[in-house]
Amino acid sequence: MVLKAMAIVLTVHLKPHLSRRCFHWAGSGGMKAAVREVATNVADHPFVFRTDVKGYYASIHHKILMGIVGRYVRDEAVLALLWGYLRRYVNDGRKFIDIKGISLGCPWSPLMGALYLKPVDDWMAELGCFYVRFMNDWVVLAPTRWRLRKVIKAVNEVMADLRVEQHPDKTFIGRVARGGDFLGYWFTTEGLGLATKTVERFAERVSQLVVF
């Protein structure tokens, strides 16, 4: 209960600093809002950069995260509590090892996940491209190939600083006309529809419910 209450308080405190282009944290509109944004803008932008972070929660660097948090949270008691939430250990039989990353089930994790990639959000705002992010999954739409290259260069630099990597199987760079997936939808210059993988997963789940 304490962690959940603190997550609510921290969200209220950090909300003015979080990007409006990040849609997964509470009060931001969620997945449907992110998809609607892409659907509204995809026809006007011929180039796309779509990617996500490989093993996002598991790859978040504690000191880098706390450095970002420290820009907006000054209370020492809150910072100490955050450190307690981050630090997890396992015993290998001889010593305790500090585990990298953040917990999947903690109420603070979605907020920390939004905050850790804030440098990417800030760069996209600076470059003025259409940009939508849902946790570690994002789409950038660009009017020209030159602008797209500039975006990719900036993202690569920021991700190197954050010590995270793009997922090689979920990265697409090129023309929107070739199509691409985002949050279970397939987008082209004509708009959005369900991605083939989404349909296949749904069909598989339905087949598992059939009793012969």
Side-chain angles (χ1 to χ4, degrees):
M1 289 297 293
V2 174
L3 288 178
K4 187 172 183 178
M6 283 297 300
I8 294 172
V9 172
L10 272 178
T11 298
V12 172
H13 176 72
L14 292 172
K15 184 177 180 179
H17 305 289
L18 295 173
S19 171
R20 294 183 179 181
R21 310 310 299 166
C22 180
F23 287 86
H24 78 267
W25 53 275
S28 62
M31 183 183 296
K32 290 183 179 180
V35 171
R36 283 196 299 267
E37 284 286 305
V38 175
T40 301
N41 290 272
V42 69
D44 300 324
H45 298 80
F47 297 97
V48 61
F49 169 41
R50 178 261 186 269
T51 192
D52 74 2
V53 177
K54 183 179 179 181
Y56 183 46
Y57 272 17
S59 61
I60 288 177
H61 192 280
H62 294 168
K63 288 185 178 180
I64 295 175
L65 174 59
M66 289 303 294
I68 297 172
V69 172
R71 299 171 193 168
Y72 311 105
V73 178
R74 303 294 183 181
D75 190 289
E76 293 298 329
V78 173
L79 293 174
L81 191 60
L82 277 168
W83 266 117
Y85 141 73
L86 289 175
R87 306 304 288 273
R88 297 176 295 151
Y89 300 89
V90 294
N91 191 312
D92 67 352
R94 295 178 300 172
K95 60 182 179 179
F96 286 94
I97 301 173
D98 190 3
I99 302 175
K100 184 180 178 182
I102 63 177
S103 172
L104 288 173
C106 181
W108 285 8
S109 295
L111 179 61
M112 295 299 103
L115 197 62
Y116 195 72
L117 287 175
K118 188 178 185 302
V120 176
D121 300 338
D122 294 342
W123 256 113
M124 294 305 100
E126 182 73 21
L127 293 174
C129 286
F130 172 85
Y131 166 74
V132 167
R133 176 163 73 91
F134 189 89
M135 184 57 78
N136 61 313
D137 194 337
W138 68 81
V139 169
V140 181
L141 300 175
T144 64
R145 193 185 302 274
W146 175 84
R147 181 69 67 85
L148 188 70
R149 288 173 179 168
K150 193 171 183 179
V151 165
I152 294 168
K153 182 176 183 295
V155 168
N156 288 340
E157 290 175 354
V158 174
M159 292 183 73
D161 290 340
L162 295 175
R163 302 185 190 180
V164 293
E165 299 177 2
Q166 294 176 36
H167 197 301
D169 298 329
K170 298 181 180 179
T171 298
F172 174 76
I173 300 169
R175 289 186 173 273
V176 173
R178 292 173 56 190
D181 67 296
F182 180 57
L183 303 179
Y185 290 82
W186 185 260
F187 59 84
T188 66
T189 50
E190 297 178 356
L192 269 75
L194 287 177
T196 302
K197 291 181 180 179
T198 302
V199 176
E200 291 174 349
R201 283 197 297 266
F202 180 77
E204 183 179 352
R205 290 174 184 173
V206 171
S207 67
Q208 292 172 353
L209 296 175
V210 177
V211 179
F212 294 96

